[in-house]
Amino acid sequence: MSNGLKRELGLFSATALVIANMVGSGIFTTSGFIMAELKNPHTLVLCWVCGGLFALCGALCYGELGARFPKAGGEYVFLKETLGRPVGFLSGWISLIVGFSAPIAAASMAFATYLFQAFSIPAGNGGMVFKVAGIPLVNLSPMTLTAMGVILLFSLIHYHSLQVGSRVQNGLTLFKIALVVVFIGAGLALGNGSMDHFTAPAFPVWSSDKFAVSLIFVSFSYSGWNAAAYLGAEIVNPQRNIPIALLAGTIIVVILYVLLNLVYLYALPSEAMEGVLEIGAKSASFLFGRGVSRLFSGAVALGLLSVLSAMILTGPRIYYAMARDGLFFQMFGRLDPHRSTPAKSIFLQAAIAVMMVVSASFDSLLLYIGFTLSLFAMLAVIGLMRIRQRTPLPGGTYRTFGYPLTPLLFVSGNLWIIFFSIKSRPVTALFGLGTIGLGVLTYLYFNRRNRRGGDPFSMDVQDNLETIQQQSRSN
């Protein structure tokens, strides 16, 4: 046991968690946006391969970080230990707002979109938009209400217990993998597509700006390759199982993603893909007909519940770890006494995700998420390189394969994405930097309060005092 959390997740569950976090709304929604930027099938496939290479490099590096620090919290713990408490806090803050709450909102919106497609329900019916000075702030519609409802449902499931949550998670993940494999096989073998879609239009003039923006969408789709590291305190034999789960899960997803995009291209010409959100449903319609497309949309909606569930399970462990270090409100660092789950952290995350559902558009969320997460994943790998110089690993512990080339490739790739993101999408980058700035102010507040003695740096001290008091009463 570690800080009240039990080591109950084995290698299979940890690997399933990585796959579930990765295979989500991104692969079924982003290829249309990427094609709108690149307008070429060859470049689209190259973009997914490059994104997979970056994700694989990140997973190899995080495997060593997870083996070094097998605790709840993931990047928050890694950055706190390698680059200091302020950077660690900012990582946890970004995880709360951008790393999990925003992707949960995006996944729930994608779920509602595919669910409505399955039942042929018009997406825009019956909505109410509340505006201030002509600017839409809140959008209430059957679709947003559906998205909000599924967030609350899975938050309650993971509040119930880790065992129930992980069983639901594993079942949904297996279904989702089966769905993807069947769609790839049937699409390429039986679908009514055309190989001509791979040859037209002609290869365009290279644009670093557009390729980098496309990689933001791709990085969002690959996000989750680090999922097992966030539950380091709940994974059995973490020094062995965390690196294996990260590597195996990432390799499986990279292969599936490239194959899925080949199916999309086989089904649709480039111009028919551009800007399409429900790219999976449209591809199924072209390959198999409208009836099968509706069935596929329902299956995708069910599969999207897996990534939604995985993120709702993973994220609260970060806020829990921050609160136990005195860098967040105390209430979020306590487990439910009957269920041993970080209940208040789970529902805080749900509340933020619900607010994002009613206030943000889908593509804006994707760019906001991709830009900000690239920055902190890069910092975590820089932290690995720094601690490698200060503290050598004991023999037998997993070491990053291909070091130092692997972390250098990951860092340089993310720097490239961040630079061109700021250049070509300054407003989105400004929102990301604004979120970081708000995190700095929040850290200063908690740091000042801790110095005044209002809240100890570690809740373990409080827990030990409570134990001593209970023992003294019993004596």
Side-chain angles (χ1 to χ4, degrees), residues 159-239:
Y159 156 72
H160 183 275
S161 69
L162 179 63
Q163 281 190 339
V164 170
S166 62
R167 286 171 184 169
V168 171
Q169 182 62 61
N170 290 346
L172 288 171
T173 302
L174 289 174
F175 170 81
K176 182 167 60 177
I177 293 174
L179 167 67
V180 171
V181 171
V182 169
F183 181 62
I184 291 170
L188 294 176
L190 306 173
N192 185 28
S194 174
M195 295 301 295
D196 292 340
H197 300 162
F198 292 92
T199 58
F203 201 92
V205 176
W206 174 262
S207 170
S208 295
D209 293 39
K210 291 184 180 297
F211 197 83
V213 170
S214 299
L215 277 173
I216 299 176
F217 288 114
V218 171
S219 65
F220 165 77
S221 301
Y222 278 117
S223 64
W225 49 262
N226 53 0
Y230 289 98
L231 277 76
E234 296 163 275
I235 293 175
V236 178
N237 192 8
Q239 281 79 12

Side-chain angles (χ1 to χ4, degrees), residues 257-273:
Y257 275 13
V258 173
L259 290 175
L260 263 175
N261 276 279
L262 292 177
V263 174
Y264 295 158
L265 290 167
Y266 181 63
L268 299 166
S270 300
E271 58 272 15
M273 290 181 63

Side-chain angles (χ1 to χ4, degrees), residues 5 18 59 94 108 150 153 250 314-315 322 325 433 456:
L5 296 171
V18 174
I94 290 300
S108 69
V150 77
L153 172 63
T250 302
T314 307
M322 290 168 63
D325 285 342
L433 295 174

Side-chain angles (χ1 to χ4, degrees), residues 96-97 101 104-105 148 151-152 155 312 332 344-359:
L96 172 61
I97 307 297
S101 298
I104 287 169
M148 292 160 61
I151 290 172
L152 295 175
S155 295
I312 290 173
F332 300 111
K344 291 184 174 64
S345 291
I346 290 172
F347 293 119
L348 169 68
Q349 178 180 259
I352 296 173
V354 164
M355 287 190 289
M356 289 185 172
V357 166
V358 299
S359 62

Side-chain angles (χ1 to χ4, degrees), residues 75-354:
E75 280 166 4
Y76 162 69
V77 172
F78 302 159
L79 285 166
K80 184 186 69 170
E81 298 289 345
T82 59
L83 298 181
R85 294 173 65 87
V87 182
F89 172 83
L90 285 177
S91 172
W93 171 261
I94 290 300
S95 292
L96 172 61
I97 307 297
V98 183
F100 290 93
S101 298
I104 287 169
S108 69
M109 292 163 72
F111 164 81
T113 300
Y114 273 96
L115 186 68
F116 280 38
Q117 284 267 344
F119 291 98
S120 298
I121 302 172
N125 278 5
M128 294 185 295
V129 179
F130 298 92
K131 300 181 179 180
V132 175
I135 301 174
L137 294 181
V138 176
N139 179 14
L140 291 178
S141 67
M143 184 171 287
T144 57
L145 290 173
T146 301
M148 292 160 61
V150 77
I151 290 172
L152 295 175
L153 172 63
F154 276 87
S155 295
L156 288 170
I157 289 173
H158 289 296
Y159 156 72
H160 183 275
S161 69
L162 179 63
Q163 281 190 339
V164 170
S166 62
R167 286 171 184 169
V168 171
Q169 182 62 61
N170 290 346
L172 288 171
T173 302
L174 289 174
F175 170 81
K176 182 167 60 177
I177 293 174
L179 167 67
V180 171
V181 171
V182 169
F183 181 62
I184 291 170
L188 294 176
L190 306 173
N192 185 28
S194 174
M195 295 301 295
D196 292 340
H197 300 162
F198 292 92
T199 58
F203 201 92
V205 176
W206 174 262
S207 170
S208 295
D209 293 39
K210 291 184 180 297
F211 197 83
V213 170
S214 299
L215 277 173
I216 299 176
F217 288 114
V218 171
S219 65
F220 165 77
S221 301
Y222 278 117
S223 64
W225 49 262
N226 53 0
Y230 289 98
L231 277 76
E234 296 163 275
I235 293 175
V236 178
N237 192 8
Q239 281 79 12
R240 170 184 176 272
N241 288 340
I242 290 177
I244 294 176
L246 293 175
L247 184 59
T250 302
I251 290 173
I252 290 170
V253 172
V254 170
I255 294 170
L256 291 176
Y257 275 13
V258 173
L259 290 175
L260 263 175
N261 276 279
L262 292 177
V263 174
Y264 295 158
L265 290 167
Y266 181 63
L268 299 166
S270 300
E271 58 272 15
M273 290 181 63
E274 292 181 18
V276 175
L277 189 152
E278 58 276 13
I279 189 69
K282 189 167 184 178
S283 298
S285 180
F286 273 64
L287 288 169
F288 309 114
R290 177 63 184 163
V292 174
S293 174
R294 289 180 58 188
L295 182 64
F296 177 76
S297 294
V300 170
L302 187 58
L304 286 172
L305 295 179
S306 172
V307 68
L308 190 73
S309 170
M311 289 186 291
I312 290 173
L313 167 66
T314 307
R317 272 66 185 174
I318 304 169
Y319 332 135
Y320 170 82
M322 290 168 63
R324 293 193 70 86
D325 285 342
L327 292 177
F328 206 44
F329 297 105
Q330 284 188 12
M331 69 175 75
F332 300 111
R334 296 195 182 280
L335 301 177
D336 183 282
H338 304 293
R339 305 188 182 280
S340 297
T341 55
K344 291 184 174 64
S345 291
I346 290 172
F347 293 119
L348 169 68
Q349 178 180 259
I352 296 173
V354 164

Side-chain angles (χ1 to χ4, degrees), residues 36-94:
E37 295 286 338
L38 301 177
K39 302 184 184 300
N40 183 271
H42 305 128
T43 320
L44 180 133
V45 174
L46 177 63
C47 193
W48 283 96
V49 171
C50 287
L53 179 62
F54 290 153
L56 187 59
C57 288
L60 290 168
C61 295
Y62 271 57
E64 180 174 331
L65 288 167
R68 281 179 177 267
F69 310 110
K71 306 174 185 178
E75 280 166 4
Y76 162 69
V77 172
F78 302 159
L79 285 166
K80 184 186 69 170
E81 298 289 345
T82 59
L83 298 181
R85 294 173 65 87
V87 182
F89 172 83
L90 285 177
S91 172
W93 171 261
I94 290 300

